[in-house]
Amino acid sequence: MLAVQTERLAKVFERRKGRQRQSHLAVDSVDLAIDQGEAVAFIGPNGAGKSTTIKMLTGILHPSAGSAEVLGLVPWKSRQRLALQIGTVFGQRSQLWFHLPAGDTLRLLAAIYDLPGPLAKSRTAELVERFALQDLLSVPVRKLSLGQRMRFEIAASLLHKPKVLFLDEPTVGLDVIAKAEVREVVREANRDGATIFLTSHDAGDIESIARRAIVIDRGRIVFDDKVSQLRRQWLTDKVVELRSEEEVEPPDIPGVHVEKVSRYGLRLRFSAQDLPVRQVIGQLLERYPVHDITISDPPLESVIAAIYQGQAVPK
Amino acid sequence: MSGLRKLLSVFRAYFRSVWAYPGAEAMRTIFLVVIMIVFLSLWRTTYSAMGATRLGGLSLPQMLEYLVGTEAIVLAAPAFAARIGDDVRTGGLSVQLTRPVSYVAFQFAVAAGESWPRLALNLLVGTALVWLVTGVEPLSAAGVAAYLIAYLPAFLLYASLFLTLALTSFWLEDAWAITFVASRMVMILGGLLVPLSLFPAALRTVARILPLQLMVYGPAQQLSHPFAALGTLLLSQAIWLAVLGGLLWFVYARGVRALHVHGG
């Protein structure tokens, strides 16, 4: 059984403007097949249809067409049954009760998720230790910092050991350390067998959590492959960093863009589609007494920026 | 059974949360005291000016008991429109709907958790105030028992009606205006300020046809006339509960299908 499966899933929002009805196709014939235990990044620019898709997969929204199953259940028909098996973290919304002490919030969620008393206690203790929450249990949620709250949010979403974890911008607004903690915990949940379905604009989240990337743009899936392929296929650019034994002058090779020049170093960028790597490297080795040279793909941020700027879909 | 346990946990959590903001609760209580003092003075003046010992079948002490009963219910009433409207506008509804608990039942548990302690506090403060100001002896045990028996279905009726109205936020985003009008109708036709027995005949007929009086007037009457026509009251409440419950189920089923949960 697949963790997530959709066929031609679509959602049309209809709005009235005066007497006229306007339709907006938010999700357009999306086909997904995600195995249990996979960690998938579902990315795309704002308004691409990511959150609408997640809301259909969690049973919040009814689709306009197509079908979907999560863990063999139709989400919008079996929302409550499915809720027992999935966890959700919506980074910009809280699932905690702001007026309650954080510990009471976890106890309440354990009751809502039907965890028997002893199991609820042991699971809560495990997560409290894992997230170092001991000193915060008696603090009302409204008085927690954003980082502390997010640790509780993730702990709360893992309380019932969900088989699929839907994460919608889980690290938004967090500092570097809190982000690293959240990513580590999500990786750990994935190692324990949970399927991860992540949406994020943060390249760090995608690289450290997901192995597979699905890109959605204007409601349609435009890429579905490994994260490493995403980088290679979307931007064919290569970045060359060269360290010379002597002082350097920037080269003048047609098609090679000089990004940075220092006394002994250069950073160059070129399209591997237009210029063979071998040719560029050959010319550089001929021209400079090279001490060190590295060739790399552009950072994932550049790929994501390219996607958001509407660059062409890779062949 | 497990569903009931969940709802009990939600009820307990919200029951405790009422005391998380003591300042806000103190302000509610002060408001109740001010309102009660105004109405105490008004009714004492009315009885004295008319030279009446009974109005609408109620003596002055009974009238004051009645007012304590109605004010306690209305000032403890749950505020569904603000909560649900906020959930819809901010997208917080997406969190609520991904929990393994019925959204409607959850709202009832929240409402009970918040309203019942407030009702108890309102009754205590209102009774103490009447006692202090007028020297009228506190409510009878039988009256309070009958009042509480009638209050439970009255609360369910009120919650069903106002939750149904609040759920129109699923289409309108903000149901405040609708619920504001409805709450004023409850104040007027439900008998908050004046018992139905003092209404002009035509208005009394209209009020008796509508379910609003079953939410406020019905239970409050029991304070001064314990167990009088309680069976009839409970039967009427049960019939209206079936009607409003059905309407609530229908509106929720339609609303959740039409839902646009905001935000990315």
Side-chain angles (χ1 to χ4, degrees):
Chain A
M1 181 176 58
L2 290 168
V4 176
Q5 185 173 26
T6 70
E7 276 179 29
R8 304 187 66 76
L9 189 67
K11 179 70 186 177
V12 179
F13 288 114
E14 294 204 347
R15 294 189 181 93
R16 274 181 189 278
K17 200 170 185 184
R19 288 187 177 180
Q20 286 187 325
R21 276 195 160 198
Q22 289 185 332
S23 294
H24 168 63
L25 184 59
V27 174
D28 183 6
S29 295
V30 163
D31 293 326
L32 294 173
I34 298 171
D35 281 318
Q36 294 198 36
E38 274 199 89
V40 176
F42 190 59
I43 58 180
N46 289 331
K50 302 184 299 293
S51 292
T52 303
T53 304
I54 284 201
K55 283 167 189 162
M56 286 192 281
L57 294 179
T58 50
I60 299 169
L61 289 179
H62 288 239
S64 307
S67 65
E69 282 192 3
V70 177
L71 297 167
L73 296 169
V74 177
W76 49 93
K77 287 184 180 165
S78 311
R79 185 166 50 79
Q80 284 188 50
R81 274 177 65 203
L82 179 63
L84 286 168
Q85 301 186 61
I86 63 170
T88 51
V89 175
F90 296 97
Q92 297 177 48
R93 335 226 178 285
S94 181
Q95 58 187 313
L96 310 173
W97 283 267
F98 273 51
H99 45 269
L100 293 182
D104 287 3
T105 276
L106 292 182
R107 268 191 288 281
L108 179 53
L109 280 169
I112 286 176
Y113 279 95
D114 259 346
L115 296 185
L119 180 61
K121 272 188 185 165
S122 66
R123 187 72 182 139
T124 305
E126 193 183 315
L127 289 165
V128 163
E129 193 187 335
R130 176 69 192 83
F131 286 87
L133 302 171
Q134 294 89 339
D135 298 338
L136 302 171
L137 290 172
S138 58
V139 179
V141 173
R142 66 180 185 275
K143 292 187 178 169
L144 296 173
S145 71
L146 181 61
Q148 290 168 337
R149 185 170 68 74
M150 282 311 291
R151 274 152 62 200
F152 269 104
E153 296 279 356
I154 307 265
S157 72
L158 295 172
L159 201 59
H160 57 295
K161 284 208 171 180
K163 291 180 185 159
V164 181
L165 197 52
F166 289 95
L167 303 166
D168 192 356
E169 309 274 357
T171 60
V172 69
L174 297 185
D175 64 32
V176 180
I177 294 167
K179 276 185 183 181
E181 281 176 0
V182 167
R183 289 167 187 163
E184 174 52 30
V185 168
V186 173
R187 276 199 301 269
E188 199 174 290
N190 184 230
R191 281 197 292 273
D192 286 348
T195 307
I196 308 295
F197 193 91
L198 164 80
T199 74
S200 179
H201 294 300
D202 189 321
D205 288 351
I206 297 163
E207 283 193 305
S208 60
I209 293 172
R211 287 181 291 281
R212 175 177 165 194
I214 298 172
V215 179
I216 184 168
D217 189 21
R218 278 162 279 187
R220 296 189 77 100
I221 303 287
V222 293
F223 178 91
D224 183 354
D225 209 329
K226 291 178 185 166
V227 173
S228 54
Q229 282 298 104
L230 173 71
R231 199 203 309 262
R232 272 189 220 112
Q233 286 189 24
W234 208 286
L235 287 183
T236 55
D237 285 9
K238 294 286 175 192
V239 176
V240 176
E241 285 184 274
L242 180 147
R243 186 121 195 106
S244 169
E245 289 174 348
E246 295 170 5
E247 287 188 19
V248 293
E249 288 289 319
D252 184 19
I253 306 170
V256 174
H257 170 66
V258 180
E259 281 196 334
K260 193 178 169 188
V261 183
S262 63
R263 200 166 171 190
Y264 294 98
L266 286 170
R267 189 165 73 220
L268 312 167
R269 193 179 181 117
F270 65 96
S271 166
Q273 254 184 349
D274 302 336
L275 279 175
V277 176
R278 191 181 50 204
Q279 182 187 322
V280 175
I281 299 300
Q283 288 190 37
L284 291 172
L285 290 172
E286 258 177 39
R287 177 158 182 182
Y288 303 105
V290 174
H291 175 71
D292 189 17
I293 190 165
T294 57
I295 309 166
S296 58
D297 294 320
L300 194 58
E301 271 96 350
S302 309
V303 179
I304 292 172
I307 295 167
Y308 290 10
Q309 283 159 9
Q311 281 192 12
V313 177
K315 300 285 183 292
Chain B
M1 199 55 203
S2 86
L4 204 60
R5 228 180 11 244
K6 288 180 195 184
L7 295 177
L8 204 59
S9 298
V10 175
F11 170 81
R12 273 200 301 264
Y14 276 83
F15 188 94
R16 279 200 300 270
S17 79
V18 168
W19 316 113
Y21 300 97
E25 288 313 310
M27 286 306 294
R28 279 173 188 272
T29 309
I30 290 169
F31 183 68
L32 170 73
V33 169
V34 171
I35 293 274
M36 285 303 301
I37 289 173
V38 169
F39 281 102
L40 283 172
S41 308
L42 273 175
W43 280 112
R44 284 167 91 179
T45 309
T46 307
Y47 273 81
S48 148
M50 295 182 76
T53 54
R54 300 184 89 79
L55 285 174
L58 297 174
S59 65
L60 178 60
Q62 286 175 328
M63 183 63 81
L64 300 181
E65 275 183 349
Y66 175 83
L67 278 176
V68 170
T70 58
E71 293 291 347
I73 290 174
V74 171
L75 291 178
F80 289 114
R83 191 194 321 276
I84 293 174
D86 205 37
D87 280 349
V88 171
R89 279 189 302 278
T90 62
L93 197 61
S94 50
V95 174
Q96 306 269 353
L97 290 176
T98 51
R99 287 188 180 134
V101 61
S102 151
Y103 181 75
V104 169
F106 180 88
Q107 294 299 333
F108 269 91
V110 169
E114 288 185 342
S115 291
W116 294 359
R118 283 183 186 141
L119 179 90
L121 186 67
N122 291 346
L123 274 180
L124 280 172
V125 171
T127 307
L129 185 74
V130 170
W131 190 33
L132 279 173
V133 174
T134 66
V136 173
E137 61 186 58
L139 308 171
S140 69
V144 173
Y147 173 80
L148 292 178
I149 291 170
Y151 170 72
L152 184 65
F155 167 80
L156 293 174
L157 270 177
Y158 188 98
S160 301
L161 175 64
F162 280 83
L163 185 52
T164 303
L165 297 175
L167 286 175
T168 58
S169 303
F170 285 14
W171 293 274
L172 306 172
E173 293 188 22
D174 191 349
W176 182 84
I178 294 175
T179 51
F180 179 80
V181 171
S183 67
R184 272 32 192 189
M185 296 291 282
V186 170
M187 287 183 183
I188 298 165
L189 295 172
L192 170 72
L193 309 176
V194 180
L196 261 61
S197 47
L198 285 174
F199 279 19
L203 189 61
R204 187 163 59 233
T205 307
V206 173
R208 287 211 183 275
I209 291 168
L210 295 172
L212 307 177
Q213 46 99 10
L214 302 172
M215 303 170 192
V216 183
Y217 172 77
Q221 271 286 88
Q222 294 295 318
L223 286 172
S224 48
H225 300 93
F227 298 101
L230 182 60
T232 313
L233 173 63
L234 293 176
L235 182 66
S236 306
Q237 287 174 324
I239 292 167
W240 271 107
L241 203 51
V243 174
L244 292 182
L247 184 65
L248 171 60
W249 175 82
F250 175 76
V251 169
Y252 176 71
R254 293 292 298 261
V256 87
R257 278 194 70 88
L259 191 63
H260 290 206
V261 178
H262 288 233

